[in-house]
Amino acid sequence: MSDSAKRPIIFSGIQPSGELTLGHIAGALRNWVALQRDYECYFCIVDMHAITVRQVPANLRRWTLDCAAMYLATGIQPEQATIFVQSHVPAHAELAWVLSTLTGFGEASRMTQFKEKSEQHAHNINVGLFTYPILMAADILLYQADLVPVGEDQKQHVELTRDLAQRFNNIYSPTFAVPEPYIPRYGARLMSLQDPHKKMSKSDPNRNATIFLVDDNDAIQRKIQRAVTDSGTTIEYDPENRPGISNLIEIYHLATDEPIEAIVERCREWTYSQFKAAVAEALVAYVEPVRTRFQQIRSDEASLASLLLSGAERAARVAQRTLRKVYRKIGFWSPKD
Ligand code: TYM
């Protein structure tokens, strides 16, 4: 057995439904990078989740490659991690079907993201949007993941995944690892720059609300300068009562790695505009090299294609092993058993 086979396992993914944002780095990518050396990692581009909202096909194709390039640009090492596209591994859809037969209707109805998304997409509340967390559970369970590094908004889905794994293990016999969510202390829910009560999102119609990783330096400066802050005057970290300035403090922490307490200590008496200037400068320095690497990597589609092809082959082997076990346990007859 190779060394990597003994390491605990991580699974996580991002939807290729738009340009990636600073929120994706804060809640997901930077933690994937930090953990990748100690875990066997599967980082997926979840295109099947993306179609729960109507997509323009050409955009979906483009964003799928963008997403792979951004994984690499933020520091994911293809030697450490398996990077692949969800729809290239049919076992995801197959296990999702099995798990859907173990999920209660009421249980699925309680998912808060479904409730939010059905409000946002009231004209297209499709069944896929409803069963979306079950597909996510299938993603995670196929790889026997121990840890799932995600932002705060995905926590409830990982809890459902744990419940489904335990349920299956109890009904049949131990089959799935029961995964833990990994939610970072800071940056688990980066907020909109225009409304600090809302999550920063790639689909926010107001482009000023979101830092995109492909934003140029001027756009980053401008968005931070225009960020909505609170009525206070001091630089204090209090997400409950001072969400605007607290969000900027988290962004500063993300960009510089300076501890939150140290930032507050050092900058407490600064004016908002002084602090915003410092955040903008630090963020430009943080995003610029990511953007440059992204542009280089993205321009070589042949290399990306070969990476995703070999990633899918590796992932499919692992996923197929779990799926075969599941099919055998539930009683699907196969001439190979
Ligand atoms: P998605 O594509 O919405 O977001 C990908 C990851 O980025 C995190 N994130 C944020 N974190 C902090 N602040 C923000 N503003 C912010 N915006 C996004 C998300 O929490 C997430 O970790 N259902 C998932 C994708 C998925 C998945 C999986 C994740 C499908 N299967 C299996 C983990 C394991 C989603 O829609 O994430």
Side-chain angles (χ1 to χ4, degrees):
M1 195 153 62
S2 73
D3 249 354
S4 68
K6 282 182 248 143
R7 286 184 291 175
I9 298 169
I10 277 185
F11 185 98
S12 200
I14 297 180
Q15 297 188 61
S17 52
E19 278 153 356
L20 298 197
T21 74
L22 195 61
H24 293 110
I25 289 207
L29 287 162
R30 89 195 284 257
N31 307 306
W32 301 3
V33 171
L35 295 164
Q36 68 182 337
R37 242 182 307 133
D38 299 323
Y39 288 81
E40 183 183 335
C41 295
Y42 295 88
F43 296 132
C44 191
I45 297 158
V46 292
D47 54 351
M48 289 160 65
H49 279 103
I51 59 164
T52 55
V53 169
R54 190 90 71 234
Q55 300 291 340
V56 174
N59 287 347
L60 183 57
R61 262 191 288 276
R62 175 163 63 86
W63 288 329
T64 298
L65 290 183
D66 283 0
C67 202
M70 204 50 100
Y71 286 6
L72 300 177
T74 52
I76 302 298
Q77 303 282 338
E79 307 79 36
Q80 305 270 7
T82 301
I83 300 172
F84 69 104
V85 177
Q86 188 183 31
S87 65
H88 295 181
V89 180
H92 290 245
E94 296 177 74
L95 181 61
W97 176 255
V98 174
L99 295 177
S100 75
T101 66
L102 294 178
T103 311
F105 192 84
E107 192 174 29
S109 312
R110 281 193 293 277
M111 297 292 120
T112 51
Q113 198 179 62
F114 170 69
K115 292 186 207 163
E116 280 166 22
K117 285 207 175 173
S118 7
E119 276 167 28
Q120 279 166 19
H121 304 279
H123 56 287
N124 180 19
I125 308 177
N126 61 77
V127 176
L129 200 58
F130 184 64
T131 56
Y132 170 119
I134 305 172
L135 178 59
M136 180 163 160
D139 298 341
I140 296 166
L141 298 182
L142 277 175
Y143 300 90
Q144 306 290 350
D146 300 291
L147 200 66
V148 184
V150 283
E152 175 67 37
D153 62 328
Q154 298 301 316
K155 190 167 174 222
Q156 198 187 24
H157 295 161
V158 180
E159 279 158 10
L160 175 73
T161 305
R162 289 172 59 81
D163 290 346
L164 290 174
Q166 278 160 342
R167 196 168 303 158
F168 189 97
N169 291 349
N170 288 337
I171 297 174
Y172 300 99
S173 61
T175 307
F176 294 124
V178 180
E180 296 279 345
Y182 175 99
I183 315 262
R185 170 133 184 246
Y186 298 112
R189 191 174 173 80
L190 228 52
M191 306 310 269
S192 151
L193 297 175
Q194 291 297 308
D195 176 359
H197 298 280
K198 252 175 50 183
K199 193 186 75 164
M200 182 183 285
S201 162
K202 57 174 148 345
S203 49
D204 199 311
N206 182 350
R207 303 264 312 170
N208 287 329
T210 305
I211 302 282
F212 293 96
L213 300 175
V214 292
D215 277 347
D216 62 27
N217 294 350
D218 285 348
I220 295 173
Q221 293 268 4
R222 186 171 27 82
K223 288 178 183 184
I224 295 291
Q225 299 291 358
R226 290 192 190 160
V228 170
T229 41
D230 325 289
S231 56
T233 48
T234 49
I235 309 300
E236 264 177 79
Y237 186 72
D238 178 0
E240 190 100 332
N241 302 307
R242 307 274 301 280
I245 199 70
S246 301
N247 196 38
L248 290 180
I249 295 173
E250 287 198 23
I251 291 175
Y252 193 62
H253 162 66
L254 190 70
T256 60
D257 261 340
E258 184 175 354
I260 297 275
E261 302 73 27
I263 298 170
V264 171
E265 177 79 27
R266 191 165 58 79
C267 308
R268 188 184 306 276
E269 303 303 329
W270 292 16
T271 63
Y272 276 1
S273 88
Q274 268 175 317
F275 188 63
K276 281 180 171 177
V279 175
E281 193 190 339
L283 192 56
V284 163
Y286 180 75
V287 172
E288 190 171 32
V290 172
R291 186 178 67 231
T292 309
R293 274 197 301 276
F294 169 78
Q295 282 156 353
Q296 278 162 2
I297 296 166
R298 184 64 179 84
S299 66
D300 184 358
E301 286 201 3
S303 296
L304 283 173
S306 106
L307 173 84
L308 293 174
L309 190 67
S310 66
E313 282 168 3
R314 214 161 353 140
R317 272 197 299 278
V318 178
Q320 201 51 40
R321 214 181 306 140
T322 304
L323 187 70
R324 254 204 311 273
K325 238 194 257 179
V326 167
Y327 277 6
R328 197 164 355 99
K329 293 197 186 199
I330 60 180
F332 283 177
W333 180 82
S334 160
K336 290 189 198 136
D337 286 340

